[in-house]
Amino acid sequence: MQPCYLAVDIGASSGRHIVGWVEDGHIQLKEVYRFENGISRKNGHLCWNVDRLFEEVVNGMAACRAAGFVPATMGIDTWAVDFVLLDKAGQRIGDAVAYRDERTDGIRETLPIPFAEHYARTGIQFQKFNTVYQLAALQKEHPEQLAAAETFLMIPDYLNYLLTGVTANEYTNATTTALVNAENKDWDDELIETLGLPRNIFQPIRTPGTVLGGLLPEIQEKVGFTCQVILPATHDTGSAFLAVPARDEFAVTLSSGTWSLLGVENLAPIATDASRADNFTNEGGYQYRFRFLKNIMGLWMIQSVRRELGERTGQKPSFPELIAAAKDAQYYMGKVDPDDARFLAPASMIDEVKAACVHNGYREPATTGEVMQCIYNSLSQDYKAAIERLQTHTGKTYTSLNIVGGGSQDRYLNQMTANATGLTVFAGPTEGTALGNLMVQFLHNREFETLQDARNAIKESFPIKEVNPQ
């Protein structure tokens, strides 16, 4: 029987279980389960329901078995920066507060270390929701929780713990805490001590490809099989970058989902004053590569507009309907800064976009189409600016842009991006993150000998749409 592997890919808005296998050198995928995810307000904060999240992980594994698949290994990837704490008994302390919560407002200014030094040590950009600021906010609001904590686990680490009973911090996600030293690739003990955080809660850092162990007996009983749980790049962007079939070293990658992550892979961090000023980050990647990239708000703005329209009318418009509305409003030239904190978690994304347009000197968008066109104008121009700055920091001139993830299906945005950047866009594969998750499993199980072999197989296995500037 053909061996298969399971990727559990969980984003901020949805999760999916995707089975993958290799047949005659081609990669095959089968989605066996999908569920919604989101945040809600609890105890005064925006939180994840991690209990339900884990239930869905197990439900999807059972659905995998029901579909006739028994994976040899499985791996989980999620978004970055968020975490839970466990007590001595291994029980969760407090809520899993989400990165969009306002508790980190102003926290950076309270830390006893200048950001220039912090950036030089970790290479991680300033985002007000980075784990280090969340921990500082927790220390301020609930010092008793940190005092009682024995274990710090990021979201995929926690899900793995519930599956296997093993505690470990995976490297690619750990780097987004801004507590990992970019040079030695381990927890920065001096930084942790300076910040007054308890060093003992941080677990040994494990790299992608590490086998954590088998499923706990009670999990085996629920899902109907056992398998080895392996660490992919548990940060979803780390997995997405793995699946990019780039032509050469002059290709930029855009992982397009709730967030747009635009950048390149380097063998060493770039933590200069100039890259700090431009807020580029150096996230840890597979085999200790560094993803030198810029965080851009991404499809969150479009997702929020869609959800808001659904709440107003009782029925969410489809993405093709929103795209068609934008096309009808191509004449509208308004733009906003997608990275403005005002768009992180607004009460109304539509009202916030309208207000920002007026603030920038444009006419207020009068229709849904004009709001959508404004977002498309803004994202494509932001991509252009990020690539221009990327070239400055790396000294390279880039000739193409690979877009992976769900956003690669938006042909209108792909065309606008090609037009804005002047680069040929290669769109696909859509399931980039799940593919990257599976690639680590493929390599571990010797389905491919090298990462390049696996990337070559992606080119042969999935349609890649070429979009040229007009």
Side-chain angles (χ1 to χ4, degrees), residues 296-310:
I296 296 170
M297 190 66 77
L299 303 185
W300 163 250
M301 298 178 76
I302 296 172
Q303 293 164 353
S304 297
V305 168
R306 179 171 178 256
R307 182 176 58 253
E308 192 174 331
L309 290 171

Side-chain angles (χ1 to χ4, degrees), residues 380-402:
S380 56
Q381 289 299 316
D382 213 1
Y383 298 157
K384 174 187 177 183
I387 290 171
E388 289 172 349
R389 298 309 301 160
L390 182 67
Q391 292 182 147
T392 298
H393 299 303
T394 63
K396 292 182 178 180
T397 298
Y398 295 102
T399 56
S400 64
L401 174 63
N402 285 87

Side-chain angles (χ1 to χ4, degrees), residues 6 14 61 104 283 313 333 367 379 423 447 456:
L6 175 63
S14 67
M61 293 168 67
T104 54
E283 296 173 349
T313 65
M333 304 304 292
T367 65
L379 288 175
L423 301 180
E447 296 283 0
N456 290 340

Side-chain angles (χ1 to χ4, degrees), residues 5-6 55 65 105 117 119 127 184 203 209 216 245 285 308 335-336 369 372 380 396 416 433-435 440 460:
Y5 315 95
L6 175 63
E55 287 177 8
R65 182 67 184 90
D105 291 352
E117 180 184 343
Y119 183 82
Q127 294 281 7
N184 66 28
Q203 305 304 295
L216 292 169
E308 192 174 331
K335 290 181 294 185
V336 299
M372 288 297 300
S380 56
K396 292 182 178 180
M416 288 193 66
T433 305
L435 257 177
V440 173
E460 300 300 320

